[in-house]
Amino acid sequence: MPDEPLVLGIETSCDETGVGIVRGHTLLADALASSVEQHARFGGVVPEVASRAHLEAIVPTMRRALDEAKVTLADIDAIAVTAGPGLAGALLVGVAAAKGYALATDKPIYGVNHLAAHVAVDTLEHGPLPEPAIAMLVSGGHSSLLLVDDVTAGVTPLGATIDDAAGEAFDKVARLLGLGFPGGPAIDRLAREGDGAAIPFPRGLTAAKDLAAHRYDFSFSGLKTAVARWVEARQREGTTIPVADVAASFQEAVCDVLTAKAIEACRAHGVDTLVIGGGVAANSRLRALASLRAEKNGIRVRVPRPQLCTDNGAMVAALGSHLVAAGVAPSRLDLPVDSAMPLTVVTA
Amino acid sequence: MLILALDTATPASTAGVAEVTGTDPHVHGLAERRTVDARAHGELLAPQIHATLEEAGVRPRDLAAIVAGVGPGPYTGLRVGLATAASMGQALGIPTYGVCSLDGLGRAAGPGRVLVATDARRREIYYATYVDGRRMSGPEVAKPFSFAGQADRAVGEGAVRYSDILGVPIDEHVLYPPGAALIALAADRILGKADGEVLTPLYLRRPDAVEPAARKTVLP
Ligand SMILES: [Zn+2]
């Protein structure tokens, strides 16, 4: 439908420069530039390196997105940009660029919440989201369970990690096993050759005493330490490390806790739809285990394709389009970035 | 030709609009606004551009080029100006030209031997020296030291801050790069309709990032 608004989305909260374009809820373009290789030797994202890369990438990435969508900036009806949470210096590059585009084209700008965008992107692939729904967002920067009543108005946080994010645990264990950065894809690949039941690694915050205060929270720091202890003990004995079994057993421990708590949240809230987003949603074991457990409980699992799970511009455009459709007022030109933007804020 | 200038290389967020004509060349300032807050370029710059254009009676689509101060300056603020200038230039389909922000101060300082110094944080300055507005050395970043005998006066907020060390009189009237001076420095390129350039910040320092040392063991 040509009458539907053409919305641009800009994402620069971490190490990916993303520009997405949607018409209504149809994805027209999703261009991405990543600085991940520049961070690899540091074992994690270096904020200043990421910010420098965003400034270099923003204009060329925009050009690619416009070419892909076969539109011009003059055709755009609204501009959405991630205003938080994320790395402050990185967010500032995207927000400054978005303001420049808005000033030049005299179009409204929406500063949006990155996590709500991770939820909204699924509508590009699977259509309108039945609300309320439960969303689980798992990446190198966040691990959250959310109750989504209305993605344009605010989401209710149910729980989050109390230490490392799930993706961070993958990175740290991958480093321990000498698999490089980022760790998620490497562990996923190696785990396919291993036995997930080989080593009984701990499941954080699942004991009865922890559930009282942390029913929907996660903890991956103890798991990471347990893996390190197990590996070091064998190194001292001089025995060969069964790397594939360690990877599979670690991955199983993470996916077991994540899916168990997500399904429990659905049951407790009488919700029959679970949306999973964030880079860790690309993990094959997480997808399989979530589907298996959801099916047993009559819950539908929605996971966007991997390119839409990791950080991208399309997710920001998708949320922007929902905000335009809902008649939400745009942000002002003095829109700040908020590196710790709370989930209750969808548009700043 | 109507030109917009932006600079965020110092605690100031500056937006200026001027008309450049091919006599001499001549730069006629129409409006210029500045707010000083080292931590708020991201919030202040865009509304200021909007207000400056309105005051000058210029619509964005009337602009022929954008001139941006490319630093050196503290990175986070500097990038705000360059990202805004680059995206406006792309959306309007007009060239963007980069000018060293210290040159803007050097030009505004007028004749004589002048030291330009801005605050580089970490108890360092960004600096360059000028004779009659032409850069003779720099830009560089260093701990402040004495310029006695090398310059007759110093300008820039960094010079005020370290006046006791620099050893030359301070001219406190010239603290931040004026937009009109940046436009004047790019006037030949503007009038010659030179190709625009990708706005590349003068960082002068590498990112602080250390490769991780060997992992610590968890077993005692
Ligand atoms: Zn994310």
Side-chain angles (χ1 to χ4, degrees):
Chain A
M1 280 213 305
D3 288 335
E4 287 186 294
L6 191 63
V7 180
L8 187 68
I10 298 173
E11 155 64 34
T12 64
S13 68
C14 191
D15 59 341
E16 319 276 3
T17 312
V19 177
I21 300 173
V22 301
R23 164 116 37 216
H25 303 302
T26 307
L27 180 61
L28 301 185
D30 185 21
L32 198 71
S34 179
S35 61
V36 64
E37 280 165 18
Q38 297 180 53
H39 306 287
R41 67 196 173 100
F42 302 110
V45 174
V46 180
E48 175 60 21
V49 172
S51 299
R52 290 185 180 196
H54 286 309
L55 181 61
E56 286 170 27
I58 188 73
V59 166
T61 309
M62 176 64 70
R63 189 171 306 126
R64 281 196 286 126
L66 294 168
D67 288 350
E68 195 181 321
K70 298 185 177 63
V71 298
T72 67
L73 279 161
D75 301 328
I76 299 290
D77 294 304
I79 297 159
V81 59
T82 302
L87 303 169
L91 290 165
L92 265 169
V93 176
V95 169
K99 289 179 180 179
Y101 293 122
L103 275 167
T105 58
D106 197 24
K107 293 296 159 57
I109 180 172
Y110 291 84
V112 306
N113 188 306
H114 176 86
L115 296 176
H118 267 307
V119 178
V121 73
D122 185 64
T123 60
L124 296 178
E125 191 148 314
H126 297 117
L129 183 66
E131 289 169 334
I134 295 290
M136 178 166 69
L137 303 180
V138 273
S139 75
H142 29 80
S143 303
S144 304
L145 270 177
L146 323 168
L147 177 63
V148 184
D149 282 314
D150 177 353
V151 77
T152 65
V155 291
T156 311
L158 299 177
T161 181
I162 60 165
D163 40 57
D164 294 350
E168 207 180 339
F170 273 91
D171 288 338
K172 287 175 177 171
V173 168
R175 184 160 171 240
L176 172 79
L177 298 176
L179 301 175
F181 173 85
I187 286 186
D188 195 353
R189 223 174 299 120
L190 190 62
R192 280 173 214 163
E193 296 151 29
D195 176 5
I199 310 154
F201 286 129
R203 268 65 170 164
L205 301 182
T206 56
K209 64 174 168 52
D210 294 324
L211 283 175
H214 296 288
R215 190 172 176 193
Y216 301 121
D217 290 331
F218 305 109
S219 166
F220 299 109
S221 173
L223 169 61
K224 169 196 71 189
T225 309
V227 176
R229 279 178 180 278
W230 196 93
V231 169
E232 282 173 26
R234 265 130 209 100
Q235 280 168 338
R236 286 194 189 180
E237 288 167 8
T239 45
T240 326
I241 311 289
V243 187
D245 285 347
V246 175
S249 298
F250 158 75
Q251 177 174 279
E252 192 65 22
V254 174
C255 297
D256 181 18
V257 179
L258 288 174
T259 55
K261 294 206 175 198
I263 298 291
E264 174 54 23
C266 291
R267 287 165 49 100
H269 289 86
V271 165
D272 62 6
T273 305
L274 170 64
V275 185
I276 307 180
V280 180
N283 182 275
S284 63
R285 181 57 185 156
L286 182 70
R287 293 167 96 106
L289 194 57
S291 300
L292 188 76
R293 289 178 170 175
E295 204 172 309
K296 280 187 189 155
N297 288 280
I299 293 162
R300 211 187 117 177
V301 178
R302 300 179 24 149
V303 192
R305 59 180 181 272
Q307 304 94 290
L308 296 181
C309 279
T310 46
D311 293 349
N312 61 79
M315 66 191 228
V316 181
L319 178 54
S321 188
H322 281 276
L323 294 168
V324 171
V328 173
S331 307
R332 298 176 356 168
L333 274 179
D334 62 356
L335 162 74
V337 303
D338 182 354
S339 59
M341 184 185 273
L343 272 156
T344 46
V345 178
V346 170
T347 181
Chain B
M1 300 170 86
L2 294 164
I3 310 299
L4 172 70
L6 305 178
D7 192 276
T8 54
T10 67
S13 294
T14 302
V17 178
E19 186 164 19
V20 180
T21 50
T23 52
D24 210 4
H26 181 71
V27 177
H28 174 61
L30 298 174
E32 176 141 349
R33 286 175 182 238
R34 169 189 301 149
T35 39
V36 180
D37 184 340
R39 306 187 62 83
H41 298 98
E43 284 118 272
L44 298 174
L45 183 66
Q48 192 153 277
I49 295 168
H50 185 73
T52 308
L53 287 167
E54 279 207 334
E55 188 189 328
V58 171
R59 293 167 301 183
R61 64 171 178 274
D62 298 331
L63 293 170
I66 298 174
V67 178
V70 295
Y75 317 143
T76 305
L78 179 59
R79 279 189 289 261
V80 167
L82 298 188
T84 309
S87 56
M88 286 189 77
Q90 182 179 28
L92 297 168
I94 56 176
T96 54
Y97 302 111
V99 172
C100 171
S101 300
L102 301 183
D103 288 359
L105 277 160
R107 182 177 174 99
R113 296 188 306 163
V114 176
L115 166 70
V116 171
T118 59
D119 188 3
R121 303 202 180 142
R122 303 180 197 175
R123 305 206 52 80
E124 291 189 324
I125 52 169
Y126 295 115
Y127 72 93
T129 60
Y130 296 80
V131 172
D132 299 337
R134 282 189 46 203
R135 176 155 28 104
M136 293 291 135
S137 70
E140 308 226 27
V141 61
K143 294 245 177 292
F145 57 93
S146 175
F147 286 84
Q150 295 180 56
D152 302 321
R153 60 202 166 93
V155 301
E157 32 79 50
V160 175
R161 178 157 185 183
Y162 296 107
S163 56
D164 51 335
I165 304 172
L166 299 175
V168 286
I170 310 297
D171 179 352
E172 294 197 22
H173 295 99
V174 186
L175 295 179
Y176 309 107
L182 297 173
I183 292 172
L185 287 161
D188 288 340
R189 281 185 283 169
I190 292 166
L191 290 169
K193 297 200 167 63
D195 287 342
E197 60 177 313
V198 173
L199 298 172
T200 306
L202 289 168
Y203 287 120
L204 303 192
R205 289 188 189 122
R206 300 172 73 83
D208 286 327
V210 279
E211 290 182 41
R215 200 182 57 82
K216 289 196 208 81
T217 57
V218 293
L219 290 180

